[in-house]
Amino acid sequence: MFPEFSLRYARLPERFYLRFAPVPVPEPRLVAFNRPLAETLGFDLDAFDESRAAQWFSGNCVPEGAEPLAQAYAGHQFGHFNPRLGDGRAVLLGEVVDREGRLRELQLKGAGMTPFSRGADGRAPLGAVLREYLVSEAMHRLGVPTTRALAAVTTGERLFRRVPEPGAVLTRVAASHLRVGTFQYFAARDDLEAVTTLADMAIERHYPELQGPAPAGHQEGERYLALLEAVAERQAALVAQWMGLGFIHGVMNTDNCAISGETIDYGPCAFMEAYDPATVFSSIDEGGRYAYRNQPWIAQWNLARLAETLLPLFDDDQESAIAKATRVIEAYAPRYEDEWLAVFRNKLGLTREEEGDRALAEAFLEAMAAGRADFTLAFRGLAEAVEEDAPALLDLFDGDTSLRAWLPRWRARLAREEASPAEIAARIRAVNPLYIPRNHQVERVIAAAAEHDDFVPFEALREVLSEPFTAQPGREAYAEPAPAGERVLRTFCGT
Ligand code: AMP
Ligand code: MG
């Protein structure tokens, strides 16, 4: 059933990882399986057998050709450097080449204690696994670069967290699991050879356009500087997309920042409902470091940490290397601002570029903040208000009149778009989702699965989220913000 493995990471020198077989679980049961993804990965589904799949996706049986290992990495957690984190509960099986010819890594998350576990149990609670499954797949459907979820298995074990929970394993698929923290691990050990190996691997896998001999007159260091620049560009685009969806990652530590530009490590992540740029959900983010509005600048901070690891590759002269890196890190800010504007222009139904567009978008956000409007529904509601004020949109804004003043200003701008009102409305609906993984819905799904072994709500929500831009008759409730009693104010990392 498994596609052939094409091992890359396992062929790196031994100091990049520790070989480690998943720890068997007592009663593996497949509770979710992503068939379309399995097909694109080249799985042979004619031979699909649920109980065998449960053996594989729990780690009880290692597929032929896989060489399981735990990757080494370091990371800044909430600003504090830890030189040795590594996969404490994840095992990389290896890479496969998918139907589009792309390398994809398969990883079992929750596969048991590894030498990097640092006293923790190496397992993942079912709630965290289902959240990552739902949210990562939703992000993919929303058009955001992300790791994917291939399968979820319950283990038959009970884990002791805040409350006892069933144990589970998630099979995660990623372009790679190279993180800023992977570079930091080796830089902290002054292992320049390893940093170079990682940089070359990142270029080969994620930025192949930077390959090839350096043009005449150019130094080899420029390739690595171009790598930093390319990673920065992807991070700017990624975070702008998050901002456009009201997505809060929750733990933007450098070990959770992927070099590929994919969203990775869904822990206490959540989508904002009532718009407030200071929103924080994660219970462990006491200082609000990873609040919605801080995300773009945290990404830049993380890039600066990446730059530090690469300095010796940029230039033999340290001062000159620092000057080059600084220019790239500084260029991130205007780059991000451009990406942000492109995202929000689209959200407002604009395709032309005009001077006042940023102010127009910001004024809408200010009206949303003042009226505590639901971020997702407010943008979606604009599709109804292209020609005249729509009561459903106005109702989202409590007691605030700034929206009434803003709408005519927006319509005056739309008039210069050379598109009919119907075309503009269609554009708005194509980029502003109706359905997002709302926290209370995710919590309901988790409670049904963890407390009653009922996965029907999970399947239902997964299906709704597979078409986030299309109104689905009979599923209106999924588009609604949480009722007062179910509002989620805190999320937990589930580690
Ligand atoms: P995360 O917060 O999921 O990004 O994890 C940060 C670090 O803690 C990583 O090194 C993880 O592998 C490790 N970790 C998280 N949860 C567990 C667990 N239950 N057992 C062992 N290690 C864990
Ligand atoms: Mg992590």
Side-chain angles (χ1 to χ4, degrees):
M1 182 178 109
F2 262 81
E4 200 180 316
F5 281 92
S6 161
L7 300 175
R8 304 294 168 96
Y9 213 85
R11 293 290 165 266
L12 290 177
E14 292 275 342
R15 61 193 192 283
F16 285 79
Y17 52 81
L18 290 163
R19 290 195 186 279
F20 172 76
V23 179
V25 307
E27 269 180 68
R29 182 162 63 97
L30 189 70
V31 293
F33 183 60
N34 191 338
R35 267 183 172 267
L37 177 59
E39 269 159 21
T40 61
L41 289 170
F43 276 78
D44 172 14
L45 296 182
D46 293 338
F48 184 78
D49 174 275
E50 209 169 296
S51 63
R52 282 185 68 200
Q55 294 290 336
W56 274 320
F57 296 125
S58 62
N60 277 14
C61 170
V62 174
E64 204 185 305
E67 288 184 20
L69 57 85
Q71 292 178 315
Y73 54 85
H76 274 90
Q77 300 183 302
F78 292 90
H80 302 286
F81 187 61
N82 186 331
R84 185 183 149 103
L85 289 169
D87 286 331
R89 55 164 170 172
V91 167
L92 181 72
L93 291 177
E95 298 87 347
V96 299
V97 181
D98 75 4
R99 292 249 155 96
E100 289 166 47
R102 304 172 308 181
L103 268 187
R104 285 293 177 266
E105 290 187 352
L106 302 188
Q107 191 197 58
L108 304 179
K109 189 169 170 184
M113 260 207 251
T114 80
F116 295 112
S117 295
R118 296 174 290 142
D121 65 0
R123 294 297 184 193
L126 179 60
V129 165
L130 295 183
R131 179 181 287 107
E132 174 153 355
Y133 196 115
L134 285 170
V135 181
S136 64
E137 286 303 300
M139 291 287 265
H140 174 68
R141 300 297 182 130
L142 289 163
V144 182
T146 177
T147 62
R148 306 283 309 273
L150 178 63
V153 168
T154 50
T155 62
E157 286 178 331
R158 284 197 90 69
L159 306 182
F160 295 92
R161 296 293 191 268
R162 282 186 309 132
V163 288
E165 270 201 71
V169 179
L170 177 79
T171 304
R172 174 159 79 180
V173 179
S176 86
H177 287 84
L178 293 178
R179 310 146 188 270
V180 170
T182 320
F183 287 78
Q184 289 182 293
Y185 179 88
F186 293 103
R189 287 161 181 75
D190 286 325
D191 188 344
L192 188 58
E193 191 187 319
V195 172
T196 311
T197 301
L198 287 173
D200 289 337
M201 184 180 229
I203 289 171
E204 185 191 336
R205 288 180 68 154
H206 308 307
Y207 305 95
E209 65 279 9
L210 305 180
Q211 274 175 317
H218 285 240
Q219 292 171 344
E220 192 57 22
E222 291 185 25
R223 188 199 311 278
Y224 298 115
L225 199 62
L227 170 65
L228 177 65
E229 210 166 2
V231 176
E233 284 174 7
R234 284 210 196 152
Q235 285 295 320
L238 179 68
V239 177
Q241 280 192 286
W242 292 356
M243 300 303 274
L245 292 165
F247 175 77
I248 303 171
H249 181 285
V251 216
M252 291 178 69
N253 293 336
T254 55
D255 51 304
N256 294 337
C257 177
I259 299 297
S260 65
E262 290 182 336
T263 311
I264 192 169
D265 265 2
Y266 293 84
C269 62
F271 286 78
M272 181 164 53
E273 294 201 307
Y275 177 68
D276 173 0
T279 304
V280 177
F281 286 102
S282 170
S283 61
I284 54 170
D285 191 1
E286 283 162 13
R289 178 179 170 90
Y290 300 138
Y292 173 79
R293 66 176 164 209
N294 291 352
Q295 297 186 114
W297 315 115
I298 290 293
Q300 186 182 36
W301 192 88
N302 290 346
L303 288 163
R305 305 290 77 74
L306 176 64
E308 284 165 1
T309 72
L310 296 171
L311 282 178
L313 301 186
F314 295 156
D315 205 302
D316 293 335
D317 175 57
Q318 198 188 10
E319 259 178 48
S320 152
I322 291 173
K324 288 176 182 175
T326 304
R327 277 197 293 277
V328 174
I329 299 303
E330 282 175 358
Y332 166 90
R335 176 85 191 193
Y336 166 75
E337 296 292 3
D338 287 349
E339 295 283 356
W340 184 92
L341 185 54
V343 166
F344 281 81
R345 241 189 210 122
N346 271 337
K347 290 180 76 67
L348 294 180
L350 308 175
T351 51
R352 298 185 42 199
E353 295 178 13
E354 282 191 19
E355 206 41 39
D357 293 346
R358 182 182 299 278
L360 185 70
E362 282 169 353
F364 185 55
L365 290 172
E366 275 160 31
M368 280 170 59
R372 301 217 33 95
D374 182 83
F375 183 87
T376 305
L377 293 183
F379 276 104
R380 180 80 179 187
L382 289 176
E384 259 50 72
V386 172
E387 287 180 284
E388 54 189 42
D389 289 2
L393 177 63
L394 293 171
D395 283 351
L396 295 172
F397 291 69
D398 45 59
D400 182 68
T401 52
S402 49
L403 177 67
R404 284 183 193 279
W406 182 84
L407 285 166
R409 196 175 143 195
W410 174 57
R411 287 190 200 107
R413 173 65 183 80
L414 290 181
R416 297 191 293 276
E417 274 295 307
E418 290 168 31
S420 72
E423 281 165 343
I424 291 174
R427 258 188 219 162
I428 292 173
R429 289 194 195 95
V431 297
N432 292 291
L434 180 55
Y435 307 105
I436 51 155
R438 291 192 181 263
N439 308 317
H440 68 294
Q441 295 284 3
V442 175
E443 292 301 331
R444 278 186 197 172
V445 158
I446 291 173
E451 291 163 26
H452 307 289
D453 197 31
D454 176 7
F455 290 84
V456 175
F458 169 80
E459 271 308 314
L461 182 56
R462 195 195 52 71
E463 206 178 308
V464 171
L465 295 174
S466 70
E467 294 282 353
F469 299 105
T470 312
Q472 303 171 33
R475 289 163 165 178
E476 291 75 13
Y478 287 99
E480 291 299 314
E486 277 188 64
R487 222 165 269 155
V488 174
L489 301 174
R490 280 278 159 272
T491 54
F492 301 89
C493 47
T495 51

